[in-house]
Amino acid sequence: MPHPSRIQRDDLLSAATNLLEREGPEGLSMRELARRLGVSAPSLYFHVESRDDLFREIIVRGLEELGTRLSGAQESGRTVRDRVHAMASAYVAFAEESPQLLALVFGQRTPGRMPDAEVGERASEAVLSVARELVGEDEALFFAEALWSMVHGYALLRLADQFRVNPDHEAGFRYALDLLVDAASARADAV
Amino acid sequence: MPHPSRIQRDDLLSAATNLLEREGPEGLSMRELARRLGVSAPSLYFHVESRDDLFREIIVRGLEELGTRLSGAQESGRTVRDRVHAMASAYVAFAEESPQLLALVFGQRTPGRMPDAEVGERASEAVLSVARELVGEDEALFFAEALWSMVHGYALLRLADQFRVNPDHEAGFRYALDLLVDAASARADAV
DNA sequence: ACCTGAACACCGTTCAAGT
DNA sequence: ACCTGAACACCGTTCAAGT
């Protein structure tokens, strides 16, 4: 009679994500992960193909979680401006809860660690949809990239403590977002 | 009579930076670096304190190089818009030449790896200066953060191949930059 | 002053052996 | 089907010993 699995796939990925946030990517080792799960290191290979594969799975989960939060935030605001701010705040909140995960999700691709292209669909669809509202179909893709870039850059640079000379981060972020929203409205009016 | 040093500090850092770009941060190992320099691993510890210290030195060099390029680009354009585009292009070019280095320079801070705060002074001064021209002293800090965020985010997301649905990256990037520059001009006119 | 080989405590991964 | 201990080739770092 076979053993019932002693490790739940979900527990493995949760423990791995915790370890990643606490110790960084170099600290997420198969042996340490096994130690925390109370099993031997080789037994992990019955649940993931390799360490790279483990990273890939973590990224998939992270990307799905981010997509869920963004499309949730998208439905929360009354005006377009509110929705942009809600989504941007959700993005930054995610970045602050899971900085290592965010860096991994949108970081340098190492072959074997990157998930299929369609995993991020939900997140990009949410951003594209709000961009469509603001500037119309034709410019939506460009505007979505601009908005995403700004929010992403802001989240990462804040985490890296690069904005330390600014005493009021909330105000700075709102200023940046409104620059884009205002510019979009001006363009839409001009047409 | 003491040995003359067989390793030049500059060679060590260059080789380390090359190895970083080729193999990523996890591939930059003291032993592999020593191998490439034709010395034993322990002898590296006469030139750097630790692997973390090596990373810190690489980051310092990278930040200085980026600062030099940005303040060079800042002097190149005739109009403010030209200068913004020149600096942004220099930033993206740096990111494309040295993606791993950029991720390191502005990535998650691991204690012991981060350089002193004033090392990035040159780069931030260049961005602040162009921001001052565009929106005046009062909003310069906020605008600089917005501009830097956008360019940084754009560079990273491009590298992570997140803009693959957009066939024309050059046009998308110019669109994004001009959104900010136009928004800044509109604000300056309104005052 | 600088370099070395040996050593220690780590690491990813494989594999034969166990239930 | 799942887990283990032993093994292999790595790794950062220290240290006594050499020039």
Side-chain angles (χ1 to χ4, degrees), chain A residues 1 7 26 30 32 107 139 152 157 174 185:
Chain A
M1 197 168 61
I7 309 168
E26 303 198 358
M30 300 299 275
E32 179 60 28
E139 299 186 358
H152 186 68
L157 291 171
R174 264 180 286 129
S185 313

Side-chain angles (χ1 to χ4, degrees), chain B residues 6 56 174:
Chain B
R6 282 181 45 194
R56 218 202 63 249
R174 265 182 285 129

